[in-house]
Structures are given as C-alpha cells and as structure tokens.
Amino acid sequence: MIDCKSSKKKILVLTPIYIGEGIPKTFTPVVHYFAREWIKNGHDVRVIHNSAFYPRFFYFIAFFFSGIIASVTGTNVPTRRLSRFKYYVIDKVAVYRMPMFKIAPHLKFSQKRINKQTENIFNIINREGFEPDLIIGHWSNPQLELIYKLKNRIASCKTCLVMHDNGNTISRLYKKNYRKLIDSIDVWGYRSAPIKRSFEANFGKRNSSFMCFSGIPKNFTEHSNNKTFGDELKKFIFVGTLIRRKFPTKLIEAIDAVYEKKDFYINYVGEGNELKKMKALICKKELSHCVKLNGYLPRNKVQQLMIDSECFVMISKGEAYGLVYLEAMAAGCIVIASRNEGFDGVINHGENGFLCESGNEIELACIIRLINNLSSEEKKVISRNAFNTAKKLSDKNVAEDYLEFLSNEIK
C-alpha cells in the first residue's frame, strides 16, 4: 500500500463550485475542504474553478426571484455575474477562477468554449511547470469533457471524476459520445451509495470506484458525548435552507401529531422561501411556544444548539450528501435522514440513526414514536454509534482516504 503522506502528488482539481470572493455562502465548500487537507499533507494542489456565467438578463431575474427558484428547483442561484479571471490563494490552496459563458443553467457549454478553456488551463499549468500526476474533477459538467481533452495532452496523468448526481446529465448533454468520455476516466467517485447505485444502473459498473464522503473538523468530536435521554424525545433541531425540497414544514406536522400535550421544542436554523408557510403553520397550530425560528447562525452556535438537542431531523430530497447530518451525529443527536438520498449508507437504520422517505410526515411520525418506545439506554447506544461514525469521518481522515485510494489504484 502506498503511503499518500510520503508519496507527494501534483493534483489538478477541476470544479464548477468553489469558495471565494463573490461566491454565495450557500454554495458548498466541500471541494475546498479536500484540497485544504491535501495541502496540509504536503501535496501540490492547483484548483481550476470553472464557474459559469450567463447573459445579463439572467441576473436581473435572479436578483428578484432567487429565493423562489431555489425553493422550487433546489438549486442555488448566483446573483452576481462573475465574468473575469481571478487568481487567489485561500488556506494555502492556489485557485484560478476561470469563468465560462453559457446561455442558461443546466445546458452544455459550446464546443468553442470547451476548447478555449482547455487551452487556457493547459497554458497555465505549462507556464508554471506544473505537470499533474492526478486530474480530479467534481461534477460532470463541464469537468468530464475538460478532463478528456486535458488527458489527451498530458498522457502521463491519471484521472478521477466524482459524481454528485446519478449521471443523467451526462447522457443528456453528451448524447453522441458519452461512452467515450466515461471510458476515459480511470477512477470514479460517488458522493453517496444511492448515487453509485443509480450511476451503475445507467452506465454499468466501473473498473475502479470509491465512496467520496465528506468529513467534519476534528474538534467537532473532541468533546465527550455524554448526552442522556428520557422516556421520550423532547428537543428537536432542523438545520438547513428552508426550501421546498427539504420539507421543513413536515417536521412540525409530524411532531405535532406525536405529542398531544405539545410538550416538545423545535429549533430551526436557516433561511429560505418556505419561511412564510412555516410561520402560518405555527400560527394555525398554536405552536409559537414550541418552535423557534433562529434564521442564519454561525457554525459554532449551530454546533452548541445541536449539543443541546436530542434529535436532528431533515428528510430532504435531492441531497447529494448532507454534511449537516454528520455534524449532528458528532453532537450525539439521534439523526433522522432520508432513505435513498445522500446520507443513506452512512446511516444504517436503527443502528446509528434512522431513515425515512423524503417528505413523508406520516412515516416520520411513526419513526419518532418508534424511538420514543426505546429505552433510555437504547437511545444512548444509537447516540454513541452516531458519534463514533462522525469521529471516523473527519476532514483529515476522509481526505487521506480519498487520496490513498487513488494512489493505490494508479500506481
């Protein structure tokens, strides 16, 4: 086995989403977390941020309707037109933001744009004398096509593409040559077990693949998990964007059905287009004393709220992974996540948490009753199992496992 700490790599990362100035805070930082840890381990990492930008009228619409669009589609909408090249360093990671124009979201980039981007990337790494050992892409559009073209020019490098969806985008965008593009990738990564199952059902099992889970900061599990439980769960928490696909109102409906005496408390952390509907439901059910809408809170305050809670619930749909579940497990919460979504496979139902059909408040109520029927000690066992799962999935551990797998596959 190759020790990825001693075998230093030159890694070129391609991604359409990355943190930086002008990037909405709602955009996931997951790729940066990997790159940051690889830098800490002594690897040479360069990030190409293939950010998309659109015609100006798109941003006019987005400015006024971004909340509605996000709530309906589940997609974060950029409200600033970032159309200029930018080089910056963050946490010692060198980032090249190289914007790419296209007519509208979810469409394919033009071949002219792909060719130009390939040339620009090659010129940057050639100018700096940076010949990558690995080219790693996250999300397929436009990374799959860019990786294919770059590999034709840097024959010695190996390639990896991590899927954040089931791959339907690939067959939709690359109708004529998607098989050729797929076969050019050396290693495939999947953000969740459902994504892997769906991708392999569509395109067949790949020769080399791995699960690309995210991790949490090590300090999240440095406390001792001494959470105790009574006969029934009383303190619940939801952390996430308040949009339709995350079903924030379903938690209120389910818990209200379980607790006739209204002797429960729910903390909501987040903002979004469903807030108005939630306020109306809370008023209708006369639950203002039972539900607190905190809005956005900094990460340290969210962590403390989780430590003070007993059960974290978010039964969302279309979740590629869901780092917030892991943070809740690190706080010792009994977590209820969605079945056949991003965290299915990390959570084993009844062992370190529970799984529910997305948006199904009736099943959610049944699961809460099931947990309430467990003894206090049985609840503590699930809490401890959740904590131990989170402890294994630290930022450092998952980044090392990620690179170690690739190193062993391409030796």
Side-chain angles (χ1 to χ4, degrees):
M1 181 178 289
I2 291 177
D3 181 356
C4 65
K5 291 181 182 179
S6 60
S7 180
K8 304 306 180 186
K9 303 293 181 187
K10 290 184 177 180
I11 306 166
L12 182 66
V13 178
L14 309 183
T15 175
I17 299 175
Y18 207 79
I19 63 173
E21 182 184 351
I23 304 298
K25 290 183 178 180
T26 52
F27 283 28
T28 177
V30 59
V31 179
H32 176 65
Y33 290 167
F34 288 127
R36 181 184 64 191
E37 293 302 318
W38 294 335
I39 286 285
K40 288 179 182 178
N41 279 340
H43 302 288
D44 191 354
V45 182
R46 313 294 169 91
V47 174
I48 304 295
H49 180 193
N50 298 306
S51 60
F53 70 100
Y54 311 100
R56 294 185 185 279
F57 71 83
F58 172 86
Y59 297 91
F60 177 80
I61 296 171
F63 181 81
F64 290 101
F65 301 106
S66 60
I68 295 172
I69 295 169
S71 185
V72 173
T73 67
T75 301
N76 289 313
V77 180
T79 56
R80 288 184 60 184
R81 193 173 191 263
L82 303 175
S83 59
R84 294 184 178 183
F85 173 89
K86 183 178 179 65
Y87 170 78
Y88 58 99
V89 177
I90 181 167
D91 294 330
K92 299 183 180 180
V93 181
V95 184
Y96 303 82
R97 184 188 296 164
M98 301 173 63
M100 300 177 68
F101 177 81
K102 63 177 175 177
I103 296 299
H106 306 298
L107 297 183
K108 183 183 177 183
F109 290 92
S110 71
Q111 197 58 53
K112 180 180 178 181
R113 176 58 57 185
I114 291 292
N115 289 338
K116 184 178 180 181
Q117 190 79 344
T118 303
E119 191 66 30
N120 288 341
I121 294 170
F122 185 77
N123 286 342
I124 286 174
I125 61 177
N126 191 49
R127 183 176 68 240
E128 297 190 3
F130 182 83
E131 185 171 341
D133 302 303
L134 289 166
I135 300 179
I136 297 174
H138 277 256
W139 291 275
S140 57
N141 184 27
Q143 281 61 236
L144 178 58
E145 203 167 4
L146 290 173
I147 290 172
Y148 173 80
K149 289 182 175 293
L150 286 168
K151 187 174 181 179
N152 285 338
R153 301 184 69 166
I154 314 170
S156 61
C157 75
K158 298 297 181 180
T159 60
C160 169
L161 183 62
V162 177
M163 294 301 299
H164 293 244
D165 59 50
N166 60 15
N168 287 339
T169 302
I170 294 175
S171 53
R172 177 174 63 84
L173 295 180
Y174 307 110
K175 293 183 176 69
K176 295 181 179 179
N177 62 343
Y178 71 86
R179 283 289 175 190
K180 177 180 70 175
L181 294 174
I182 287 175
D183 290 342
S184 72
I185 300 297
D186 297 309
V187 182
W188 289 84
Y190 306 105
R191 292 286 286 147
S192 71
I195 286 175
K196 182 177 188 289
R197 288 195 296 267
S198 184
F199 184 89
E200 291 182 345
N202 289 332
F203 303 107
K205 190 172 182 180
R206 311 319 296 166
N207 290 332
S208 181
S209 66
F210 70 105
M211 299 307 304
C212 183
F213 294 143
S214 293
I216 54 174
K218 188 177 180 181
N219 66 295
F220 273 46
T221 54
E222 287 178 342
H223 66 93
S224 55
N225 178 31
N226 296 318
K227 199 180 292 289
T228 58
F229 298 88
D231 292 335
E232 293 186 335
L233 298 173
K234 299 293 185 183
K235 296 179 287 186
F236 297 84
I237 186 168
F238 174 108
V239 180
T241 314
L242 305 178
I243 57 177
R244 189 181 300 176
R245 73 169 180 86
K246 291 184 182 283
F247 305 106
T249 60
K250 299 297 185 180
L251 175 56
I252 297 172
E253 294 172 355
I255 293 180
D256 185 55
V258 173
Y259 296 87
E260 294 181 3
K261 296 180 180 179
K262 316 298 183 190
D263 53 343
F264 62 86
Y265 197 80
I266 309 173
N267 265 301
Y268 278 92
V269 179
E271 299 172 349
N273 205 248
E274 291 287 283
L275 185 59
K276 186 176 180 181
K277 187 186 295 185
M278 293 171 66
K279 288 180 177 178
L281 182 62
I282 292 166
C283 183
K284 178 183 176 182
K285 292 183 175 290
E286 299 180 344
L287 296 174
S288 59
H289 63 292
C290 300
V291 182
K292 184 175 181 181
L293 304 172
N294 292 279
Y296 172 80
L297 292 175
R299 199 176 191 184
N300 62 322
K301 290 189 176 180
V302 175
Q303 186 186 14
Q304 188 57 53
L305 276 181
M306 287 179 171
I307 290 172
D308 294 337
S309 301
E310 296 171 313
C311 183
F312 177 92
V313 183
M314 188 169 71
I315 51 171
S316 55
K317 191 173 183 65
E319 206 75 59
Y321 185 69
L323 197 58
V324 69
Y325 295 115
L326 198 60
E327 293 176 356
M329 294 169 82
C333 288
I334 294 176
V335 171
I336 304 176
S338 301
R339 188 166 52 250
N340 295 321
E341 294 292 337
F343 225 63
D344 188 343
V346 179
I347 286 182
N348 296 314
H349 186 76
E351 295 179 16
N352 61 352
F354 294 86
L355 297 168
C356 175
E357 181 185 7
S358 299
N360 189 332
E361 73 272 24
I362 296 173
E363 184 181 0
L364 177 57
C366 290
I367 291 173
I368 293 170
R369 290 190 182 100
L370 171 67
I371 297 170
N372 285 343
N373 285 330
L374 298 175
S375 68
S376 297
E377 185 55 38
E378 286 172 322
K379 294 185 186 78
K380 284 180 69 175
V381 168
I382 293 171
S383 171
R384 284 197 295 267
N385 290 343
F387 179 80
N388 289 335
T389 298
K391 200 166 186 176
K392 293 175 184 176
L393 293 172
S394 68
D395 281 341
K396 183 175 184 292
N397 289 346
V398 297
E400 286 182 0
D401 289 347
Y402 184 161
L403 204 55
E404 184 174 357
F405 179 86
L406 294 181
S407 297
N408 287 323
E409 287 296 298
I410 65 174
K411 61 183 178 180

